[in-house]
């Protein structure tokens, strides 16, 4: 699963907002890969599903841009609540081994088109919401430290040793 809480980590810079469309600049994202392991459960060995956190990023470790939407909601008293969402799509070959969806990562050439408030053709915009090339990305195991949004430490993205 994609952890929206982790997207508030210090490795993010200010989102780029223009109307309802937005770009969010991470350097990585995490998702849990489900694996079956044999465990002792009340004296009997059972197959248990565990999630191994995986860090997913560009091979060259460069930042990238998620496609998103931004809005400010007002309650009945006029208090504003900014909110955003990261748009997801079907996974590429790499992320598909980990999860059944992935965030939309836009190519630099598509930033202006995504943010252009004058484009009303949703069909052309939907064509931007494709899986990013797996050839440019990497995924590796990381510590379960990343599973808590309270942890903003280097261990969140450091690769685990292969055992």
């Amino acid at each position: 699963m994609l952890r929206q809480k982790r997207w508030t980590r210090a490795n993010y810079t200010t989102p780029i907002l223009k109307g309802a469309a937005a770009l969010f600049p991470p350097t990585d994202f995490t998702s849990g890969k489900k694996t079956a392991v044999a465990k002792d459960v009340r004296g009997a060995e059972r197959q248990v599903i565990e999630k191994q956190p995986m860090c997913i990023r560009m091979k060259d470790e460069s930042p990238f841009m998620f496609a998103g939407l931004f809005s400010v909601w007002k309650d009945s008293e006029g208090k504003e609540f900014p909110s955003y969402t990261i748009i997801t799509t079907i996974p590429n070959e790499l992320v598909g081994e980990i999860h059944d969806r992935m965030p939309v990562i836009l190519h630099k050439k598509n930033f202006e088109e995504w943010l252009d408030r004058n484009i009303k053709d949703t069909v052309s915009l939907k064509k931007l919401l494709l899986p990013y090339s797996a050839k440019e990305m990497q995924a590796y195991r990381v510590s379960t430290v990343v599973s808590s949004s309270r942890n903003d430490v280097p261990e969140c993205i450091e690769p685990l040793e292969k055992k």
Side-chain angles (χ1 to χ4, degrees), residues 5-118:
K5 290 180 188 176
R6 294 301 311 149
W7 294 340
T8 61
R9 285 202 337 236
N11 67 343
Y12 291 84
T13 58
T14 305
I16 299 169
L17 309 172
K18 193 170 182 182
L23 296 173
F24 299 96
T27 56
D28 57 77
F29 61 99
T30 57
S31 187
K33 182 177 183 177
K34 293 180 182 178
T35 56
V37 295
K39 289 255 178 161
D40 181 47
V41 179
R42 297 185 187 113
E45 188 170 298
R46 304 247 193 259
Q47 288 289 324
V48 177
I49 302 295
E50 289 188 347
K51 286 188 179 179
Q52 170 60 56
M54 303 291 289
C55 180
I56 304 159
R57 63 189 329 172
M58 296 298 154
K59 285 182 179 176
D60 66 3
E61 300 185 1
S62 64
F64 47 92
M65 291 286 190
F66 287 150
L69 300 172
F70 178 82
S71 184
V72 177
W73 299 86
K74 291 184 181 182
D75 66 12
S76 59
E77 299 170 2
K79 185 175 179 184
E80 293 185 345
F81 296 91
S83 63
Y84 70 91
T85 187
I86 304 293
I87 299 172
T88 60
T89 188
I90 59 172
N92 61 25
E93 299 82 17
L94 176 73
V95 179
E97 295 290 321
I98 301 164
H99 202 276
D100 62 356
R101 63 186 172 142
M102 69 179 287
V104 171
I105 300 170
L106 289 177
H107 291 274
K108 189 173 185 173
K109 66 182 181 181
N110 300 122
F111 293 174
E112 288 303 317
E113 183 178 2
W114 179 251
L115 294 173
D116 190 338
R117 296 177 72 183
N118 295 315

